[in-house]
Amino acid sequence: MENISEKKGFYAYRTTLRAMSDGVSLFTKNAGMLLKATWPLLLITSLLGGWFAVGVTKICVDLLVGTLLEWSDLGLWMALPGLLTLCFMVLFFALVYTLLSQYVENGFIPTQKRKKFQLCPKITKLPRLLLGGCWCIFVSVLYVLLAYVLYTVSVWSLIATIPLYIVLMFWLANQLVGYVLIADTLVGSIRHSLGITLKGLGSFIAVSLMLALVLGAIGVVCMIPAISTETIYMKAQFSLAEGDNGDLPSYFTPVYFLACTLSTFLTLLLNAVQTSCWSLVYGAVDTRIKLKKAEKKN
């Protein structure tokens, strides 16, 4: 919300619905400026995502039809594009958190500019995102180990891991917001986000359901180009394996790649909106908790 007269602070929200609504408008109202400033990073990430999607489908089809694969094929079509896509996805989310942190500081997203030959404006949240992500991975590994231990004791004991998983999922998402976006210490964000998660669990469950219904439906529409071309490709390869001489036209592979690239691009935008909504809801729940504490003291 670049217009300073319309700015609204990160901690000015009270209701979950209003925080979600402004989480969407925060990026959509600045869409032109943000796309102009970040399009090289978005384009490269989308192209890599398209390459990875095409490669995974190709390898899976080759395995199903019994084609002999070499290590070079796995490296070219899965390992290399997968690693590059992961790296650029991390850069993309670090940029999203950088933009959100500017909103936390100013109450609006300032005009974004990038110098010539830059992929995007300066990213300041990459180190915190990497450290926060490593912590989330570490906690997730501990959870898997705990589930395995309980499984060895009794299969029924895994029931206890279900509510733990729900709390853990929301806690890690909130802890990442608290550490990366609010610039809290890692230990401080762990304690603070756990309290926010437990006290505002109902709000986060409601947000998850609404985001899954709305953004999930939009995400399915965004994936239609990739799903359609992928289905055509798989059916054609299975037909060839069964002895059918018919083959796809030569221009189909570029079309398939562009369709996967388009779906990746739209998915990146949806993920940015989802991160914005979740972050603003985190601020709204935190504000409500602080207000209740102040009322009790008074």
Side-chain angles (χ1 to χ4, degrees):
M1 302 173 185
E2 193 172 345
N3 187 354
I4 299 178
S5 63
E6 298 179 359
K7 71 178 183 178
K8 188 170 184 179
F10 181 74
Y11 293 105
Y13 297 96
R14 300 293 184 272
T15 64
T16 300
L17 187 60
R18 181 58 188 273
M20 283 188 59
S21 175
D22 278 18
V24 175
S25 63
L26 184 61
F27 280 170
T28 55
K29 286 186 177 180
N30 297 280
M33 177 262 291
L34 294 177
L35 287 175
K36 184 179 179 180
T38 63
W39 71 265
L41 177 62
L42 283 170
L43 178 60
I44 294 175
T45 309
S46 301
L47 291 172
L48 290 173
W51 180 16
F52 180 65
V54 172
V56 169
T57 303
K58 180 181 183 304
I59 295 299
C60 290
V61 171
D62 289 344
L63 289 174
L64 291 174
V65 300
T67 303
L68 183 62
L69 294 175
E70 298 181 358
W71 287 109
S72 58
D73 296 328
L74 295 175
L76 178 62
W77 291 105
M78 287 190 66
L80 179 60
L83 180 61
L84 292 175
T85 302
L86 177 62
C87 292
F88 275 86
M89 286 285 288
V90 171
L91 284 177
F92 170 75
F93 280 107
L95 175 61
V96 172
Y97 278 114
T98 299
L99 296 173
L100 290 173
S101 68
Q102 295 179 5
Y103 172 71
V104 174
E105 296 171 0
N106 303 296
F108 64 98
I109 297 181
T111 301
Q112 301 298 308
K113 296 181 180 180
R114 60 179 177 85
K115 297 180 180 178
K116 197 173 183 180
F117 305 116
Q118 275 188 337
L119 292 177
C120 59
K122 183 179 179 180
I123 297 176
T124 61
K125 295 298 181 179
L126 180 59
R128 283 182 169 268
L129 180 61
L130 291 175
L131 183 57
C134 290
W135 165 254
C136 293
I137 293 173
F138 172 72
V139 175
S140 300
V141 171
L142 290 181
Y143 171 80
V144 173
L145 292 176
L146 175 62
Y148 175 75
V149 171
L150 292 176
Y151 174 75
T152 57
V153 175
S154 173
V155 176
W156 294 104
S157 63
L158 289 176
I159 297 177
T161 63
I162 296 176
L164 178 61
Y165 172 77
I166 296 175
V167 175
L168 183 65
M169 179 177 61
F170 293 127
W171 173 42
L172 291 180
N174 291 330
Q175 189 269 324
L176 201 62
V177 171
Y179 179 63
V180 180
L181 183 60
I182 313 302
D184 194 1
T185 63
L186 181 60
V187 177
S189 66
I190 291 171
R191 295 198 307 263
H192 189 61
S193 61
L194 181 59
I196 291 177
T197 302
L198 295 177
K199 294 178 181 178
L201 187 60
S203 296
F204 293 118
I205 292 176
V207 170
S208 299
L209 294 176
M210 286 187 282
L211 289 178
L213 291 174
V214 178
L215 295 185
I218 298 175
V220 171
V221 175
C222 294
M223 293 300 297
I224 286 178
I227 294 174
S228 301
T229 51
E230 181 178 318
T231 302
I232 295 173
Y233 174 78
M234 294 182 67
K235 287 186 175 181
Q237 296 304 311
F238 284 129
S239 297
L240 289 174
E242 293 174 357
D244 188 356
N245 294 326
D247 197 3
L248 293 170
S250 58
Y251 60 81
F252 179 80
T253 300
V255 172
Y256 179 26
F257 171 72
L258 291 176
C260 292
T261 300
L262 175 61
S263 295
T264 304
F265 177 80
L266 296 176
T267 303
L268 288 174
L269 298 182
L270 281 180
N271 286 331
V273 173
Q274 181 179 1
T275 304
S276 175
C277 291
W278 192 273
S279 300
L280 265 63
V281 171
Y282 175 93
V285 174
D286 192 14
T287 301
R288 292 202 300 266
I289 294 174
K290 290 178 179 178
L291 289 176
K292 289 180 180 179
K293 288 182 178 179
E295 290 176 357
K296 290 181 179 179
K297 288 182 179 180
N298 293 332

